Amino acid sequence: MAREPLARDLCISVFICILLITHQSTCFYLPGVAPEDFWKGDPLRVKVNKLTSTKTQLPYSYYSLPYCRPKHIFDSAENLGEVLRGDRIENSPYVFKMREPQLCNVACRLILDEKTAKEFKEMIDDEYRVNMILDNLPLVVPIRRLDQEASVVYLHGFLVGLKGQYSGIKEDKYFIHNHLAFVVKYHRDPELELSRIVGFEVTPFSIKHEYEGKWNENTRLTTCDPHAKKLVTSSESPQEVEDKKEIIFTYDVEFEASDVKWAYRWDTYLLMADDQIHWFSIVNSLMIVLFLSGMVAMIMLRTLYRDISKYNQLETQEEAQEETGWKLVHGDVFRPPSNSDLLCVYVGTGVQFFGMTLVTMMFAALGFLSPSNRGGLMTAMLLLWVFMGMLAGYASARLYKMFKGTEWKKISFGTAFIFPATAFAVFFVLNALIWGQKSSGAVPFQTMFALLLLWFGISFPLVFVGGFVGFNKKPAIEDPVKTNKIARQIPEQAWYMNYVCSILIGGILPFGAVFIELFFILTSIWLHQFYYIFGFLFIVFVILIITCAEITIVLCYFRLCSEDYNWWWRSYLTSGSSALYLFLYAVFYFFTKLEISKPISGILYFGYMLLLSYAFFVLTGTIGFYACFWFTRLIYSSVKID
């Protein structure tokens, strides 16, 4: 069943959710757009997806190996997100009939040569898994856990093969999984004969098939013959992968009735046994927020209120000059910083990221971006990034105008170009490396052209539209106090208020608020697991916003009290430094959780994590900047300046 366009998916999902809310129903996610009903005997066409490995992170097309092929191979409909993820969904020779079991079906026969045997061995060495899809459900291998009764873990896809040894022989041999025992679970309508697919499982076997006489289309296998009640139930005589070896690919299909309704069929894939860890993450983050909130409340309600009241009651200028701390720098605190143009560009880019992240998480938390729509999340993020360009141009131009700038087009160009150009350059280099490995994860030329079209055709003009509105249609933001013509000398600061030290301290708590959830995000990305706990993630994101704002305000206040008025860039870098800890954690995760050994795969990992950390820096830095911007304007607008 071809997937409908993302826009139509979203509209239908919104409509369905409105109906559910109207009837006081609850919805966790909306798994797909519309169910498909099957009569008994209707054909079920299995699709094949990419071959994936957690050891190399390089996906390959299913037919990059000499597996059984249909007469004509054609691609299924793909969206932009699927292409960027490396998905290559194609038809397969596996065709079932609804509720009609099949035993010992022969898919094809293959004679290995030296080249194909080597290809299979390399894939087995790298632990590649074969991914298939039936009615938009991915294939899973059920594994029963020994530590818990009636507990089953589902692994996505089955291994191409295994390495092992014959008894009494030390040499490793390669064995291929050439027999697949499929189980299709269905939910039957109690009144009609119609059924809906709610599960797609497989148990792979390696079996050296045998037969009598010469091979032809009507040959009956002696190792797998339903007429003789001889079925494959184990891999006692496995199929070896060597040059000149004959491999016969076979499969069984069993249909199993299930009480699971179609609307809940994805619960198997999204079931979490570690939700207590996520709640611990939320509680841990909330404790950080409460601690910082207490400090901010103490500063705002006690210290600042007392200082402002006392300062406003001073009768003479001489008495005012005797005051120390943040009040003395009122004539310099709103002095434009050095490299103010670059600051405007990064603030605008951060607003673009914030808008994209907030809207994406809201849609995902409400269930509108179901994992059943492969690539939907990434497609939505790209489109939102493009259309949030207007907010980016507006924010950068408004700040630039406050700094008395006049060349708003230059700022708009920088906002539309600097971050996307950096990201695209890194992405292009990494994609060239993937292309050199002949991986299906390499983005084709047409898709690269589409990305450039989105950038220059939509995002660029929208940034300039936003810049025009922000600079020409809106008045400049007025400072609450006047700025002196001569800059005040900043006294020598204590070591803990050092520029680098204070910035590094500021990034610890925002990272601490998200690092537990970060583990699950990295696991979903690099270990090919589904991530669909967007409700938790949205709460953590809100906590991250509060933490970045509060830690920046606290450190900004301490710096102003020590008569250091250079807060513009420091406020951005204070919360933005959490990206450094994110990257260091990515390095730790690489060496402790991943088994990547190939240099190309390592370069891909660190390249993409560097891009992710860069984006996190821009996002958190902008949050801290605006918090500090609001804070300084608030406190200095409360002070009477003669």
Side-chain angles (χ1 to χ4, degrees), residues 6 67 73 85 165 187 257 261-262 281 351 383 491 503 553-554 578 581 636:
L6 178 62
Y67 278 119
I73 299 175
R85 280 163 36 102
Q165 300 174 347
H187 182 78
K261 295 183 179 180
W262 185 89
S281 171
V351 170
L383 293 178
I503 288 174
I553 288 173
V554 169
S578 57
Y581 297 101
Y636 283 101

Side-chain angles (χ1 to χ4, degrees), residues 19 27-28 31 39 49 80 86 93 107 142 145 182 191 197 215 233 273 280 288 316 400 407 445 545 566 604 633:
L19 290 179
C27 60
F28 173 62
W39 295 95
N49 200 350
L80 185 59
R145 297 181 60 173
F182 294 106
E191 298 180 357
I197 296 174
W215 177 264
T233 57
F280 172 76
I288 295 175
T316 64
Y400 180 69
E407 300 178 2
F445 173 78
I545 295 172
N566 292 325
L604 292 177
R633 292 181 63 83

Side-chain angles (χ1 to χ4, degrees), residues 41-144:
D42 281 351
L44 305 178
R45 305 188 183 279
V46 177
K47 298 178 181 179
V48 292
N49 200 350
K50 59 189 176 183
L51 306 174
T52 57
S53 169
T54 57
K55 294 185 68 175
T56 68
Q57 304 299 331
L58 292 171
Y60 286 91
S61 169
Y62 176 82
Y63 294 114
S64 62
L65 288 178
Y67 278 119
C68 303
R69 299 167 177 256
K71 292 182 179 179
H72 302 285
I73 299 175
F74 54 88
D75 294 333
S76 298
E78 295 178 338
N79 56 44
L80 185 59
E82 276 187 317
V83 178
L84 295 177
R85 280 163 36 102
D87 286 341
R88 296 296 182 267
I89 301 173
E90 299 161 309
N91 61 317
S92 78
Y94 300 102
V95 179
F96 312 152
K97 291 185 178 181
M98 188 65 182
R99 292 165 49 199
E100 293 184 3
Q102 302 176 29
L103 300 176
C104 297
N105 276 15
V106 176
C108 69
R109 173 177 171 267
L110 174 67
I111 303 296
L112 296 181
D113 56 25
E114 186 176 353
K115 179 183 177 182
T116 54
K118 181 181 178 182
E119 290 174 347
F120 273 118
K121 288 181 179 180
E122 290 176 349
M123 290 293 185
I124 294 172
D125 269 331
D126 292 331
E127 299 179 5
Y128 270 88
R129 306 187 76 90
V130 179
N131 296 283
M132 296 183 178
I133 301 167
L134 177 64
D135 190 34
N136 211 27
L137 273 181
L139 180 68
V140 294
V141 179
I143 304 294
R144 188 169 298 279

Side-chain angles (χ1 to χ4, degrees), residues 525-554:
I525 295 174
W526 299 107
L527 296 182
H528 310 302
Q529 301 294 324
F530 285 114
Y531 185 90
Y532 200 65
I533 43 177
F534 292 108
F536 286 105
L537 186 62
F538 184 74
I539 296 174
V540 171
F541 179 64
V542 173
I543 293 174
L544 174 67
I545 295 172
I546 298 173
T547 307
C548 288
E550 291 183 342
I551 190 63
T552 308
I553 288 173
V554 169

Side-chain angles (χ1 to χ4, degrees), residues 119-333:
E119 290 174 347
F120 273 118
K121 288 181 179 180
E122 290 176 349
M123 290 293 185
I124 294 172
D125 269 331
D126 292 331
E127 299 179 5
Y128 270 88
R129 306 187 76 90
V130 179
N131 296 283
M132 296 183 178
I133 301 167
L134 177 64
D135 190 34
N136 211 27
L137 273 181
L139 180 68
V140 294
V141 179
I143 304 294
R144 188 169 298 279
R145 297 181 60 173
L146 299 178
D147 57 336
Q148 298 180 15
E149 294 184 3
S151 178
V152 179
V153 176
Y154 294 94
L155 303 179
H156 304 303
F158 63 91
L159 290 170
V160 172
L162 297 170
K163 260 177 97 172
Q165 300 174 347
Y166 290 112
S167 59
I169 302 178
K170 294 183 179 180
E171 183 184 0
D172 283 335
K173 296 291 184 179
Y174 294 85
F175 306 102
I176 188 173
H177 284 138
N178 61 322
H179 180 83
L180 305 177
F182 294 106
V183 176
V184 178
K185 295 185 177 181
Y186 65 92
H187 182 78
R188 186 175 175 182
D189 190 304
E191 298 180 357
L192 302 175
E193 287 293 320
L194 292 172
S195 302
R196 294 176 179 177
I197 296 174
V198 296
F200 186 35
E201 301 176 0
V202 70
T203 302
F205 297 100
S206 179
I207 177 73
K208 184 179 180 181
H209 285 301
E210 297 177 355
Y211 55 90
E212 297 177 355
K214 292 185 178 180
W215 177 264
N216 57 60
E217 294 182 357
N218 299 319
T219 299
R220 290 172 60 174
L221 302 175
T222 59
T223 49
C224 183
D225 187 356
H227 301 286
K229 297 184 179 180
K230 178 70 174 179
L231 303 178
V232 178
T233 57
S234 66
S235 298
E236 293 181 358
S237 178
Q239 174 63 59
E240 192 175 335
V241 178
E242 288 294 344
D243 185 19
K244 302 296 189 297
K245 288 286 185 179
E246 176 190 52
I247 299 179
I248 300 174
F249 291 91
T250 56
Y251 65 96
D252 300 333
V253 184
E254 179 185 349
F255 289 88
E256 183 180 307
S258 174
D259 294 330
V260 177
K261 295 183 179 180
W262 185 89
Y264 303 101
R265 64 178 187 165
W266 274 86
D267 288 1
T268 299
Y269 302 89
L270 308 178
L271 185 63
M272 294 185 306
D274 48 15
D275 54 346
Q276 292 183 352
I277 299 177
H278 293 277
W279 282 116
F280 172 76
S281 171
I282 299 296
V283 173
N284 170 69
S285 303
L286 285 174
M287 294 300 294
I288 295 175
V289 169
L290 290 175
F291 170 72
L292 288 175
S293 298
M295 293 188 66
V296 172
M298 182 181 65
I299 292 172
M300 297 292 291
L301 299 179
R302 295 187 59 186
T303 309
L304 273 175
Y305 180 77
R306 183 190 59 203
D307 287 352
I308 292 172
S309 299
K310 184 178 178 181
Y311 189 82
N312 289 339
Q313 290 174 2
L314 297 177
E315 297 180 355
T316 64
Q317 186 68 23
E318 289 77 12
E319 288 177 322
Q321 290 177 351
E322 293 176 3
E323 287 295 313
T324 58
W326 61 271
K327 300 171 289 298
L328 284 180
V329 296
H330 64 79
D332 299 277
V333 73

Side-chain angles (χ1 to χ4, degrees), residues 494-511:
W495 67 270
Y496 53 84
M497 296 302 294
N498 178 271
Y499 193 86
V500 176
C501 184
S502 61
I503 288 174
L504 293 179
I505 291 174
I508 295 176
L509 290 181
F511 172 75

